[in-house]
Amino acid sequence: MHNTTLKKIAETLGCSISTVSRALKHHPDISVRTREKVLELANTLDYEPNAFAVHLRTRNSKVMGLMVPAIFNHFYESFIASVEEECRKNGYVLMILQTANDPAIETENIKLFRQNRVMGLFACITPGTGNLTHFLKLIEQDIPVIFFDIVPEDDTLFRVCLADERAASLAAEAMIAAKKKNIVALFGDPRMSITQRRLSALDDTIKKNAPGTKLIAKFAVNSEEAEKTVTEVLSAKKLPDVLFCMSDELLIGAMKAVQTQKINIPEDIGIISISNGVVPKLFYPEITYVETSGHKLGKLAFTHMMACISGSTAVKELMLDAVLVAGGSL
């Protein structure tokens, strides 16, 4: 690793360190000829400014933090990729940490973000997060926090959200339009606000538009539990008309159970999911889904972060709309 310093460049060119420093910053007091010599030598020697020293001087680390339950998740993968792309385009570095849905790890991660002097944080809280003190300490230090996907109920905080109620309502309307009367709906952790919103919207839409329809809600926190739950559903004497999955992770488990039982789609049972859009296309027929895009949400979150850093605090929440994408599974 090269350890080129301003002093070495200055000694080589026979000028002062301050002249080299100003030339590298394109200061107008430095002649074009001198600046070109300094830049050429700095490039030859692979000179890089000390990022930590620059931060101490400017209080601008150019580092953003991002915290998710798990990186290996289709939705979070696309969200991370989207935010990282925007960070790179705008000269920022992205620091990513996982919580494994553990509030204790979440608290430790916040300390690490503080120690690394992040300029802002994108945070998806855990289902067990009750105390927001560690987040509020960041905000008190003028470090914006943009909550996304799983967010606190406090509407005074900055949030970017999926249109959870709209997504569930669209799924309900699609099942009603397909004349499904016996629905089993698979939801995630019942403690999560996202689960509660989607369940409530699905139930309300069905009661309002198809009051004679039977809805049974089941819960699973991962794909393994989803597979087990759906296997039990498929073992009943009479299959439901349709199976709804509130996420890609649950859809993966559900489809494994359906394929293991050699159930035909859509002849024996219909399938519909809320999805990031990748998993439904892995099956034949392709699964009908309501798109909640991690990629689009990442773009929206970065836009919100830039507004917060620039001092715009009027808008607290931005919402990403949901779209129904028809497959062949209903």
Side-chain angles (χ1 to χ4, degrees):
M1 179 179 179
H2 295 287
N3 188 28
T4 308
T5 64
L6 293 177
K7 182 178 179 181
K8 184 173 182 180
I9 295 174
E11 289 175 347
T12 302
L13 295 177
C15 58
S16 68
I17 292 176
S18 63
T19 296
V20 172
S21 178
R22 284 183 292 168
L24 290 170
K25 297 173 186 174
H26 296 269
H27 196 284
D29 288 348
I30 305 301
S31 70
V32 173
R33 180 178 173 78
T34 300
R35 183 167 68 246
E36 288 177 349
K37 285 183 177 181
V38 170
L39 292 173
E40 182 179 359
L41 181 57
N43 184 56
T44 301
L45 297 175
D46 288 334
Y47 169 76
E48 292 182 1
N50 185 316
F52 184 69
V54 171
H55 167 59
L56 289 178
R57 185 174 68 253
T58 66
R59 296 182 61 82
N60 186 340
S61 69
K62 304 299 283 186
V63 176
M64 292 288 185
L66 192 154
M67 186 162 58
V68 291
I71 292 174
F72 295 109
N73 170 292
H74 291 289
F75 178 82
Y76 295 131
E77 281 178 1
S78 61
F79 181 90
I80 290 168
S82 179
V83 172
E84 191 280 331
E85 180 182 30
E86 292 303 313
C87 282
R88 183 162 26 88
K89 286 179 181 177
N90 290 274
Y92 294 94
V93 174
L94 188 63
M95 177 181 176
I96 306 165
L97 296 177
Q98 303 177 90
T99 66
N101 279 325
D102 185 334
I105 296 176
E106 180 180 77
T107 301
E108 289 302 312
N109 285 348
I110 297 294
K111 291 180 182 178
L112 288 172
F113 285 128
R114 274 207 318 271
Q115 290 168 5
N116 283 274
R117 296 175 170 82
V118 297
M119 289 188 65
L121 173 64
F122 302 93
C124 176
I125 64 174
T126 78
T129 300
N131 189 338
L132 297 175
T133 301
H134 43 301
F135 289 107
L136 297 178
K137 286 181 179 178
L138 285 181
I139 296 170
E140 288 169 0
Q141 295 172 6
D142 294 325
I143 299 172
V145 178
I146 305 293
F147 294 97
F148 69 95
D149 192 36
I150 304 172
V151 302
E153 292 297 324
D154 187 346
D155 59 9
T156 66
L157 300 172
F158 294 114
R159 304 181 296 184
V160 289
C161 302
L162 299 166
D164 293 311
E165 290 90 347
R166 174 66 175 157
S169 294
L170 283 174
E173 290 168 2
M175 289 186 284
I176 293 169
K179 302 188 185 307
K180 304 301 183 183
K181 297 293 184 182
N182 186 5
I183 302 170
V184 170
L186 198 58
F187 291 92
D189 193 320
R191 296 174 297 169
M192 296 192 303
S193 59
I194 186 173
T195 299
Q196 296 163 11
R197 289 195 299 270
R198 290 181 177 182
L199 173 55
S200 178
L202 189 80
D203 187 45
D204 289 346
T205 303
I206 290 172
K207 286 179 177 177
K208 178 181 178 181
N209 299 318
T213 300
K214 181 181 179 182
L215 173 65
I216 298 176
K218 302 280 187 178
F219 298 92
V221 299
N222 53 45
S223 58
E224 290 77 16
E225 283 192 14
E227 181 186 357
K228 181 180 178 181
T229 299
V230 173
T231 298
E232 293 173 355
V233 169
L234 299 178
S235 299
K237 290 183 179 180
K238 183 179 179 181
L239 294 178
D241 297 334
V242 63
L243 178 64
F244 163 83
C245 299
M246 95 161 220
S247 70
D248 279 322
E249 185 173 15
L250 301 184
L251 175 62
I252 290 170
M255 288 303 296
K256 187 173 181 180
V258 168
Q259 292 178 330
T260 300
Q261 297 292 324
K262 295 181 170 55
I263 303 295
N264 294 317
I265 301 171
E267 293 82 5
D268 298 330
I269 191 171
I271 306 286
I272 186 170
S273 181
I274 295 178
S275 170
N276 191 41
V278 175
V279 174
K281 292 179 171 58
L282 300 178
F283 300 99
Y284 182 81
E286 290 187 5
I287 308 301
T288 294
Y289 67 97
V290 179
E291 182 190 61
T292 51
S293 170
H295 182 79
K296 292 178 183 177
L297 192 69
K299 300 289 185 189
L300 190 65
F302 188 84
T303 298
H304 208 14
M305 177 65 77
M306 290 298 95
C308 292
I309 288 176
S310 68
S312 176
T313 59
V315 178
K316 295 296 182 181
E317 181 178 81
L318 295 178
M319 186 79 68
L320 181 67
D321 199 9
V323 180
L324 179 69
V325 180
S329 62
L330 280 183

